[in-house]
Amino acid sequence: MKKIHILLIIIMTFMIVIVGCSDDSTNSDGNITEEKESVVLNLEGGDWGYPSPYTHYSRGPGAYKMRLIFDSLLERGEEGLIPWLAEDWNITNDGKTYTFNIRENVKWQDGQDMTAEDVKFSFEYYAKHPPVFDELNISKNNFIEKINVIDRHTISIDVDNPSATLLERFGSARILPKHIWNNVDDPKKFNSPKAVIGCGPYILTDYKKEQGAYRFKAFKDYWGPKQRADVIQFVPVSDNILAFEKGDIDITRVTPDILNKYKEDNKYKIIKNPGFWGYRLMFNMDNNPQFKDKVLRQAIAYAIDKGEMIEKVARGAGKPASAGYIPIDHRWYNKKVRKYDFNLDKSKKLLDGKKYSFTLLTGNRNQEVRIGELMKLSLEKVGIDLKVKSVDMKSRDAAVKNGDYEMVLIGHGGWGNDADMLREKYVSEENSIKTTFTGGIPGYGNDMINNLAKKQLSELDLDKRKEIVYNLQEVIAEEIPQIPLYNTTGYDVYRPSKYDGWRHVFDHHTVTHNKISYLEME
């Protein structure tokens, strides 16, 4: 019995040693190695809808959560578009046939294989059922003539006319699993767990609409770059700075007035963001034909003090927007466009003693209300009475989409997108289609803008297209059919000891939105 008792003590001691080393693993040489500690990122939450291509809310934070789950043929990198589900591609000289070679061994998150058939199905399904972010929609008629599945991992797409934007459009569309969506007749009502099965790097494991909380976990069979973050959580936050200070979230946006606090502490790192988010003032010329008068629009532009808005609302974290819409930080910005610096005398001269009264619709966030108030005060000085009406963001966005406004203040991202955004926002309604709440100017049309916008779209030579886009910006700035106000910049602060993978992509302003921020990119 004594020997048995001693043997049990030895066994228990050995078990304790093993448990104590449970965080380690043994390599092929028999040496003990430390296992990587799980990285759980906590980010500022908020409800942006269920993250399928059909049920997220129609603003960036909803789309970028969805894109953690759903991959596309190409992805946005730091310098431009990069291969993703498509390893490579070819475009014929006439710009009418695109061939994509699809990666092998890509798995859906339910274990089935992803093939070229899924790509074909996705593009055809989107033609019948446009998603919230409809990258493939370029006109009232579907430009895809035929999709050919050449083999299990090769697909070709024939189009009716060449277009400078098609590679990015084809590359950006999210790929759906055919075996799940094939029998879904109403995708906007499809909100089961199957609706968020993609082949992307993260799986949705929890969503609480009321709290605006999401939890994404790394997909262990992901085909692509290894996930740097094992779990990404979006958590409820009432005060983002306080939450960051307490460690409840791992990165936050700060304004220049409090930046020095973090600059002087080496446990923080700071990221400066480009101005690809901005505010603009839109006119509804259907509801009020007075806005069809270019002189009135120019007078309003001169009477708005953008510098004051940047100082008092953005706390210095902004840049005056270009009257040609494409922002200063954009690779195709034309610095020669007409400028409307704050000048009350010029405004009064253009108005020539005429008095006006308008209603401005804004969201109810403090920044938008403040912008509306500043605009009201400056316009009063030139004889324009402005009544400011504030509603919640979703109601304001719905009003814009439905045309239920006279003047409206709208703020959104996407200002770093391809220059074809000028066509989407300025071409008269009969020549374009509204795809989001940010598209179109009700009641406005200009033949020169329409012609230039159409010309740049079909020009495949990069230098020639850029020249057309520069010209288009100059015409838009002279016409000023809407008034871009300012683009926000600002800074993000984070603790590199917790996570140091944040990356900007070439056309976006927020590092937390970018898929490559969470992956081990070369």
Side-chain angles (χ1 to χ4, degrees):
M1 288 294 293
K2 186 175 181 180
K3 288 181 179 180
I4 293 173
H5 182 68
I6 293 171
L7 181 62
L8 285 172
I9 291 173
I10 293 171
I11 292 171
M12 289 177 68
T13 302
F14 182 67
M15 290 295 292
I16 290 169
V17 170
I18 291 175
V19 171
C21 296
S22 62
D23 286 337
D24 297 331
S25 59
T26 306
N27 63 21
S28 58
D29 298 325
N31 297 317
I32 300 297
T33 59
E34 251 185 60
E35 283 190 1
K36 180 187 172 186
E37 204 174 308
S38 292
V39 176
V40 179
L41 286 178
N42 292 308
L43 308 177
E44 184 176 352
D47 181 42
W48 297 99
Y50 195 53
S52 98
Y54 289 92
T55 51
H56 66 80
Y57 186 44
S58 60
R59 280 183 173 267
Y64 293 110
K65 290 177 178 61
M66 177 269 295
R67 291 172 184 174
L68 293 173
I69 301 169
F70 293 89
D71 267 356
S72 50
L73 296 180
L74 307 179
E75 189 56 72
R76 283 166 166 77
E78 292 173 291
E79 302 297 329
L81 298 172
I82 55 178
W84 212 248
L85 289 177
E87 288 185 297
D88 53 59
W89 56 89
N90 179 68
I91 307 170
T92 55
N93 290 335
D94 62 1
K96 297 186 73 173
T97 300
Y98 291 70
T99 302
F100 293 94
N101 296 314
I102 312 300
R103 295 183 189 277
E104 298 183 17
N105 302 316
V106 177
K107 295 286 186 183
W108 293 109
Q109 292 168 357
D110 62 0
Q112 296 204 32
D113 292 335
M114 192 282 293
T115 70
E117 285 289 350
D118 294 300
V119 179
K120 180 177 188 290
F121 167 79
S122 300
F123 285 15
E124 292 175 344
Y125 192 82
Y126 288 146
K128 296 177 185 176
H129 307 284
V132 177
F133 273 25
D134 188 10
E135 285 91 349
L136 293 176
N137 196 353
I138 199 170
S139 66
K140 290 183 178 178
N141 301 311
N142 192 330
F143 53 88
I144 296 176
E145 288 190 336
K146 187 178 181 181
I147 302 177
N148 304 291
V149 174
I150 298 171
D151 58 40
R152 189 173 171 82
H153 297 288
T154 312
I155 191 168
S156 70
I157 305 169
D158 296 334
V159 299
D160 54 5
N161 289 300
S163 167
T165 67
L166 288 185
L167 179 63
E168 184 168 343
R169 290 178 181 277
F170 291 147
S172 298
R174 302 295 116 176
I175 307 305
L176 301 171
K178 179 179 178 180
H179 65 280
I180 290 176
W181 290 83
N182 197 31
N183 296 316
V184 176
D185 296 324
D186 190 349
K188 293 181 180 179
K189 294 181 180 178
F190 183 41
N191 57 7
S192 78
K194 287 186 176 182
V196 288
I197 289 176
C199 61
Y202 289 91
I203 298 171
L204 181 71
T205 60
D206 194 24
Y207 166 57
K208 293 183 174 65
K209 179 178 177 64
E210 296 76 16
Q211 298 178 18
Y214 298 78
R215 185 180 187 273
F216 296 89
K217 184 178 179 181
F219 174 37
K220 65 181 179 63
D221 292 325
Y222 184 52
W223 66 268
K226 183 174 175 56
Q227 299 93 333
R228 291 176 60 118
D230 300 288
V231 174
I232 305 170
Q233 298 183 140
F234 294 86
V235 298
V237 169
S238 56
D239 184 311
N240 63 303
I241 300 296
L242 182 60
F244 179 70
E245 294 283 355
K246 292 169 60 181
D248 295 337
I249 57 176
D250 296 316
I251 185 170
T252 192
R253 177 68 60 90
V254 297
T255 49
D257 54 329
I258 62 171
L259 192 61
N260 284 338
K261 172 183 178 181
Y262 300 102
K263 277 184 176 178
E264 295 168 359
D265 193 331
N266 60 13
K267 71 172 178 279
Y268 300 110
K269 275 191 178 180
I270 297 167
I271 304 170
K272 186 176 181 179
N273 300 309
F276 292 151
W277 199 100
Y279 290 104
R280 58 193 172 111
L281 176 64
M282 295 175 61
F283 304 113
N284 189 324
M285 301 181 196
D286 277 337
N287 287 349
N288 191 335
Q290 292 180 99
F291 292 128
K292 293 188 177 185
D293 180 3
K294 180 175 72 173
V295 174
L296 171 61
R297 301 193 302 265
Q298 290 177 338
I300 293 173
Y302 279 121
I304 294 174
D305 192 344
K306 299 175 185 177
E308 183 183 39
M309 292 177 179
I310 293 169
E311 179 187 350
K312 294 183 177 178
V313 181
R315 300 180 188 176
K319 298 179 180 181
S322 168
Y325 188 81
I326 289 183
I328 293 170
D329 287 339
H330 197 284
R331 58 202 180 280
W332 280 17
Y333 164 65
N334 181 357
K335 64 182 179 181
K336 294 181 180 179
V337 300
R338 177 170 176 169
K339 294 173 175 59
Y340 295 85
D341 297 327
F342 181 54
N343 191 318
L344 294 177
D345 290 336
K346 278 188 178 180
S347 180
K348 289 176 182 177
K349 186 175 180 180
L350 289 170
L351 291 173
D352 195 26
K354 294 178 183 176
K355 306 292 183 182
Y356 295 91
S357 179
F358 304 121
T359 298
L360 172 68
L361 180 67
T362 77
N364 62 359
R365 295 192 310 168
N366 181 60
Q367 297 97 320
E368 295 186 23
V369 173
R370 188 70 179 121
I371 290 172
E373 291 171 347
L374 292 174
M375 204 179 303
K376 175 182 173 65
L377 291 173
S378 61
L379 289 177
E380 280 178 353
K381 297 173 183 177
V382 297
I384 297 175
D385 175 44
L386 194 66
K387 297 177 177 64
V388 180
K389 177 184 177 183
S390 300
V391 297
D392 66 271
M393 181 180 66
K394 289 186 178 181
S395 297
R396 189 274 318 280
D397 289 355
V400 173
K401 185 175 181 180
N402 297 325
D404 296 333
Y405 64 93
E406 184 177 34
M407 298 169 67
V408 66
L409 174 69
I410 189 86
H412 57 85
W415 296 58
N417 290 351
D418 182 270
D420 190 51
M421 62 184 169
L422 298 179
R423 179 188 62 83
E424 295 171 342
K425 289 176 171 59
Y426 287 92
V427 170
S428 45
E429 190 66 21
E430 62 268 24
N431 294 328
S432 66
I433 186 167
K434 284 187 181 180
T435 57
T436 70
F437 63 89
T438 60
I441 301 172
Y444 178 76
N446 180 279
D447 289 340
M448 188 175 293
I449 288 177
N450 292 348
N451 292 335
L452 287 170
K454 183 178 179 180
K455 191 176 179 182
Q456 65 81 27
L457 183 61
S458 60
E459 180 54 70
L460 302 184
D461 183 284
L462 188 65
D463 291 333
K464 291 180 180 178
R465 183 177 180 232
K466 187 174 182 179
E467 185 179 345
I468 297 167
V469 169
Y470 269 46
N471 192 5
L472 180 54
Q473 290 176 71
E474 291 172 8
V475 177
I476 287 171
E478 176 65 28
E479 279 284 304
I480 200 77
Q482 59 181 324
I483 303 176
L485 299 173
Y486 69 88
N487 298 105
T488 59
T489 53
Y491 302 84
D492 286 318
V493 176
Y494 68 96
R495 300 176 185 87
S497 61
K498 172 67 181 288
Y499 190 76
D500 200 16
W502 302 113
R503 294 170 181 256
H504 272 302
V505 296
F506 72 99
D507 63 349
H508 194 63
H509 60 284
T510 302
V511 292
T512 56
H513 287 179
N514 306 327
K515 186 180 291 186
I516 66 170
S517 278
Y518 306 102
L519 304 175
E520 292 183 359
M521 306 296 294
E522 293 181 358

